[in-house]
């Protein structure tokens, strides 16, 4: 199944109105930056929340330090608002 | 020393967790502990329910990383971190930290470090519900300052 | 807020002391705790017995003064201090401090302050017995430095 | 009974070879400084321990900040080595 699993947590889930979605990708994959463009196109204004200050992205449950990571089908990408544990 | 980590909806018992820690570190001269509970009043007003969301898998790893960092910085004999998730009512327990060391300075420092880092690095999100509705809690500047203070002091961290 | 103080030969139970503290401060968001135990090894070598001497009357008052000073410095919801006296074996519990407050900073600070001040101001004397004989423990310069640091910071003590 | 109760704790009890003693005083009493002289006379070299660094005196269970306090019969005076609690 040639898709990414994209997950939204906490306030971002509320903003996007969903907790996850499948994003089909071509076999060779795409950069995280390209996924952002794709999500903006798909969700319009609501996707602005993904670029809010403090929002971080995890690729396969590890924080991405830039928009450079290359994503391939099967990867799990999560958008995480600032954490408030403890 | 392998930290004991637990993330889940179950409540914890400080006395039992302390007894278990002492079994792992019977010779430790000092144990510092912390328990965080739901307050009935927050910046946003009265609180009826606190919901703790997490990211299964990534959350456990983020807590383990905080604990491992504490174990690198201080000579600990044992370390326990328990963090609850799910719906909690006022006064319910949220988080437990227990740190055992030969001396009190390391035990206190490590317990406080773990709490400061959990606040800013562990993958949890809190939502409050009260008479005024519900809202996601925002991260506190003072928590980030507390965590940053440890980072700044990394070079002269105690090496006892 | 009236600190709960106990000085005597009886052992204590952290879990029970915590439950009692929570009953006095059900709404506190943060509880910091410390337990000090007899180490099986000290500067003087192996330890078989630790004897804690006190001055009945004056000792209780000195502990209460330390607790009261903590209560003046931080906004505590509850504070418990238990200090044992008499003959204790390796790994036995000596001292317990529990501090409850709305926020973790005050709870941690108060618990640590009480320990630092107990070390230098509370009227107890420790004697160790081991294979090498017995000796009165001398007060540690690091304990005096830790207590002095609080005195120096008295002016900018947190007033939360 | 026209006497002070003088108590010795911990290492000072070992040094003086006793945990307490009665020191008779005249009705009008005496200063703590004078009690020290009296104890030096009574115990010789052993009483040197009472002037060791860090030794404090409590009069009626409160620390004396100097050798000035005036002691009257019935008072309790205690010599305390540096404390090591906690």
């Amino acid at each position: 199944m040639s898709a990414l699993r994209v997950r939204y947590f906490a306030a971002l889930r509320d903003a996007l109105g969903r907790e996850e979605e499948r994003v089909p990708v071509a076999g060779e994959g795409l950069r995280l930056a390209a996924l952002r463009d794709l999500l903006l196109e798909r969700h319009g204004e609501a996707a602005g929340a993904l670029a809010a200050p403090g929002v971080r992205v995890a690729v396969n449950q590890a924080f991405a330090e830039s928009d450079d990571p290359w994503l391939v089908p099967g990867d799990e990408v999560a958008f995480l608002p600032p954490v408030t544990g403890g | 020393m392998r930290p004991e980590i637990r993330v889940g909806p179950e409540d914890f018992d400080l006395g039992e967790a302390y007894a278990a820690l002492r079994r792992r570190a019977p010779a430790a001269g000092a144990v510092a502990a912390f328990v965080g509970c739901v307050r009935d009043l927050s910046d946003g007003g009265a609180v009826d329910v606190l919901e703790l969301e997490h990211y299964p898998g990534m959350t456990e790893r983020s807590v383990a990383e905080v604990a491992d960092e504490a174990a690198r910085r201080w000579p600990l004999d044992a370390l326990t971190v328990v963090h609850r998730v799910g719906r909690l009512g006022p006064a319910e327990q949220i988080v437990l930290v227990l740190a055992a060391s030969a001396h009190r300075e390391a035990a206190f420092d490590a317990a406080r470090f773990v709490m400061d880092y959990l606040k800013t690095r562990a993958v949890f999100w809190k939502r409050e519900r009260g008479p005024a509705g519900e809202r996601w809690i925002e991260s506190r500047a003072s928590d980030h300052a507390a965590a940053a203070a440890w980072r700044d002091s990394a070079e002269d961290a105690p090496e006892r």
Side-chain angles (χ1 to χ4, degrees), chain A, chain B:
Chain A
M1 185 210 47
S2 300
L4 298 172
R5 181 183 184 193
V6 181
R7 303 178 68 173
Y8 306 104
F9 285 89
L12 292 178
R13 184 183 53 242
D14 294 353
L16 275 290
R18 72 198 65 214
E19 64 182 31
E20 66 173 276
E21 63 188 312
R22 303 266 154 193
V23 176
V25 291
E28 72 276 17
L30 80 176
R31 272 200 206 289
L32 174 51
L35 173 65
R36 280 187 190 279
D37 293 342
L38 207 150
L39 293 171
L40 279 167
E41 197 171 298
R42 196 183 263 208
H43 298 295
E45 211 171 314
L50 301 180
V55 171
R56 301 184 69 183
V57 181
V59 176
N60 298 327
Q61 307 202 351
F63 283 117
E65 300 304 333
S66 74
D67 270 3
D68 291 342
W70 189 261
L71 309 170
V72 298
D75 278 352
E76 176 172 303
V77 178
F79 288 86
L80 314 176
V83 298
T84 54
Chain B
M1 196 281 301
R2 197 185 145 84
E4 177 98 0
I5 308 287
R6 208 174 71 218
V7 173
E10 307 81 17
D11 197 7
F12 53 80
D13 183 284
L14 172 61
E16 282 173 22
Y18 171 72
L21 180 96
R22 294 285 311 173
R23 283 193 291 274
R24 290 173 0 246
V31 176
F34 182 84
V35 180
C37 298
V38 180
R39 287 189 298 144
D40 52 6
L41 202 77
S42 80
D43 306 337
V47 178
D48 295 326
V49 177
L50 183 76
E51 244 186 85
L52 267 152
E53 183 174 342
H54 75 306
Y55 183 174
M58 185 165 183
T59 296
E60 289 80 351
R61 203 151 55 225
S62 68
V63 174
E65 278 168 11
V66 170
D68 289 344
E69 177 63 24
R72 263 192 301 276
R73 290 190 180 214
W74 292 279
L76 302 180
D77 293 330
L79 177 62
T80 300
V81 183
V82 181
H83 203 302
R84 296 177 70 192
V85 297
R87 292 166 59 92
L88 303 175
E92 274 203 79
Q93 301 183 129
I94 304 169
V95 59
L96 168 69
V97 178
L98 282 162
S101 185
H103 296 287
R104 74 185 185 286
E105 295 83 358
F108 270 122
D109 279 347
R112 190 163 188 161
F113 170 90
V114 167
M115 279 308 305
D116 288 346
Y117 266 48
L118 283 181
K119 290 271 177 189
T120 55
R121 305 218 172 173
V123 178
F124 295 95
W125 299 276
K126 289 190 185 127
R127 175 160 55 178
E128 285 175 356
R129 287 190 203 165
E134 62 180 55
R135 61 168 203 129
W136 291 100
I137 294 182
E138 294 188 6
S139 68
R140 291 164 64 199
S142 61
D143 287 336
H144 287 277
W150 290 109
R151 208 162 56 238
D152 297 344
S153 72
E155 246 108 82
D156 47 26
E159 304 255 11
R160 278 167 287 228

